[in-house]
Amino acid sequence: MASIRRPHSPAKQHLLRHHHPFASSSPPSSPLRHSSSSSSPRTHHHLGAGGYPHPFLFFSRRPLPRFAAFFLLGSFLGLLHFLSHLPQTPHLRPASPNSVLPTTTLPHRRFDQQQQLPDQQHDGGKEKLLIVVTPTRARAAQAYYLSRMGQTLRLVDPPVLWVVVEAGKPTPEAAAALRRTAVMHRYVGCCDKLNASSDSVDFRPHQMNAALELVENHRLDGIVYFADEEGVYSLNLFQRLRQIRRFGTWPVPVISENTKDGFVLEGPVCEQVQVVGWHTSEDGSKLRRFHLHMSGFAFNSTMLWDPRLRSHLAWNSIRHSDMVKEGFHGTTFVEQLVEDESQMEGVPADCSQIMNWHMPFGSENLAYPKGWRVETNLDVIIPLK
């Protein structure tokens, strides 16, 4: 079936060419051009002043330029919104000689950084991990001692891991006291099969062995220090611990009501960092190989699993023995770590500072020495030969 297509009139063909996006700007002249353009209102729909197309006609007809324009506009608005939420930091200006800075503008941590030791060395800018082991037992003053010890460790520069070992099963009261200190800790129990509820038996060797087993199993790389919860410690002690490379020791006064001065000084006598003798005042203690206290030494945790760093006496795991007499736990344990004084480091140099005090087990009623000063019993009783 044949189809008949009617051609458009000359005026309509001119309108189609004029509004087509690809139409030529100078169409061929037509006798009906002026009359048709002036008579038809559709031809002035997109024309501006002077007969030129409207400037927004370019964006309404081309999708790609329109997308680019709105994309740039949205990016600009988003950047303005981001910049408006940045924290406003004041510009630093040189202070005049007469100006005084208020103390509230200085951060608290800045004072600790200024008090850092000048000879303190850090490996790669990282602090050494301090592993503080504290044996504890359930009693009326347990929460008090744990809170006091926790507040001390809270002031120490991180990283610090506080390993608290309970003589028996962990208690909710001790766990709550540890959480309130906001110190990274690990609370475990031991001695369940040894009737740990008895107050007359000292389970601290078993508790410290449980902490050593935890450190050895997890290969924790740091400095291990045994800190009783009854003791008194200075922040300088924990700063000095990070200087220890292998094994470090220092003098410790032990509060005692059986002595004239009220305390007994135990620990090394040093020339610089070399141990040359020992402080002691008990005749029975002369039988000990090393005259140091349990809270008067610290060691690198790698000695627990690296046989090359330990003494020849430690053929197996390094642990505390519960078969030794009272007062010999420290020297028996240290004999597994070092062979003689040449493998020890005096902390600090010359061992001339008292950095912590030790309170005996169950010493809630003992009197403190006046002024916390050590002025007597400073002679070397047992020098090294």
Side-chain angles (χ1 to χ4, degrees):
M1 181 177 179
S3 61
I4 300 175
R5 178 177 300 177
R6 176 179 294 180
H8 296 287
S9 63
K12 196 170 185 179
Q13 291 179 3
H14 170 68
L15 291 177
L16 291 176
R17 286 196 305 268
H18 180 75
H19 291 285
H20 198 274
F22 298 101
S24 176
S25 59
S26 59
S29 59
S30 174
L32 300 179
R33 177 181 177 183
H34 299 284
S35 60
S36 61
S37 60
S38 59
S39 61
S40 176
R42 296 177 57 185
T43 58
H44 298 278
H45 184 69
H46 296 286
L47 294 179
Y52 294 99
H54 199 276
F56 290 97
L57 180 62
F58 177 77
F59 296 102
S60 62
R61 293 294 183 178
R62 306 291 181 104
L64 185 59
R66 180 172 50 185
F67 170 78
F70 283 102
F71 176 79
L72 294 177
L73 180 61
S75 301
F76 178 72
L77 295 178
L79 182 61
L80 289 180
H81 179 74
F82 173 76
L83 295 177
S84 62
H85 287 75
L86 289 179
Q88 300 294 333
T89 57
H91 296 284
L92 299 179
R93 299 179 180 178
S96 59
N98 299 327
S99 62
V100 179
L101 292 177
T103 56
T104 54
T105 59
L106 298 178
H108 178 71
R109 178 60 63 181
R110 188 172 181 177
F111 291 99
D112 298 339
Q113 294 175 356
Q114 293 178 354
Q115 295 176 359
Q116 287 183 355
L117 303 176
D119 55 347
Q120 188 174 4
Q121 300 293 334
H122 307 299
D123 297 335
K126 296 182 180 180
E127 296 280 3
K128 193 72 173 179
L129 173 65
L130 295 183
I131 307 173
V132 182
V133 178
T134 300
T136 184
R137 57 188 176 92
R139 63 192 189 282
Q142 182 184 26
Y144 162 74
Y145 284 117
L146 291 179
S147 299
R148 188 183 66 170
M149 185 70 186
Q151 294 300 324
T152 302
L153 296 178
R154 190 175 181 178
L155 301 176
V156 181
D157 294 335
V160 178
L161 175 61
W162 189 17
V163 182
V164 182
V165 186
E166 181 76 47
K169 296 182 179 180
T171 62
E173 295 78 10
L178 293 175
R179 287 193 298 267
R180 286 192 296 267
T181 60
V183 178
M184 183 175 63
H185 64 275
R186 180 71 182 272
Y187 182 41
V188 296
C190 78
C191 318
D192 294 340
K193 301 180 181 180
L194 300 177
N195 191 15
S197 60
S198 178
D199 296 336
S200 60
V201 182
D202 187 6
F203 292 99
R204 285 181 295 179
H206 301 280
Q207 294 173 264
M208 289 184 287
N209 287 340
L212 293 176
E213 184 177 358
L214 186 147
V215 174
E216 184 176 358
N217 292 340
H218 292 276
R219 291 294 195 272
L220 300 179
D221 187 6
I223 303 298
V224 180
Y225 175 57
F226 299 108
D228 293 331
E229 56 185 351
E230 297 93 349
V232 179
Y233 308 91
S234 64
L235 294 180
N236 185 31
L237 168 64
F238 298 99
Q239 294 177 359
R240 297 284 184 178
L241 291 180
R242 289 194 167 100
Q243 300 178 8
I244 297 176
R245 294 172 297 179
R246 180 178 177 185
F247 183 92
T249 181
W250 56 91
V252 176
V254 180
I255 303 297
S256 176
E257 58 183 2
N258 299 326
T259 60
K260 179 181 178 180
D261 300 324
F263 63 89
V264 176
L265 183 63
E266 296 182 353
V269 178
C270 307
E271 292 182 358
Q272 295 300 319
V273 296
Q274 182 64 40
V275 178
V276 297
W278 299 96
H279 289 293
T280 184
S281 61
E282 298 179 1
D283 296 335
S285 64
K286 295 181 181 180
L287 301 177
R288 294 185 294 176
R289 174 62 183 88
F290 302 113
H291 302 267
L292 45 73
H293 196 267
M294 188 65 67
S295 62
F297 68 89
F299 61 94
N300 199 311
S301 61
T302 55
M303 302 178 70
L304 296 175
W305 59 80
D306 193 347
R308 298 172 297 178
L309 301 178
R310 61 178 64 175
S311 173
H312 64 281
L313 297 179
W315 60 273
N316 201 355
S317 299
I318 297 179
R319 296 294 186 269
H320 290 272
S321 176
D322 57 346
M323 304 300 294
V324 298
K325 297 181 180 180
E326 183 179 359
F328 287 80
H329 291 94
T331 181
T332 305
F333 180 79
V334 174
E335 289 175 5
Q336 304 176 65
L337 298 174
V338 297
E339 298 181 2
D340 52 27
E341 285 81 359
S342 63
Q343 299 178 353
M344 297 181 177
E345 309 169 29
V347 181
D350 295 332
C351 301
S352 57
Q353 297 182 10
I354 300 299
M355 299 182 292
N356 66 294
W357 291 72
H358 175 72
M359 309 295 175
F361 183 70
S363 58
E364 285 84 356
N365 299 324
L366 292 180
Y368 297 129
K370 185 178 180 179
W372 293 97
R373 297 180 61 87
V374 178
E375 299 178 351
T376 59
N377 189 29
L378 299 179
D379 297 333
V380 179
I381 303 296
I382 304 179
L384 297 182
K385 299 181 180 180

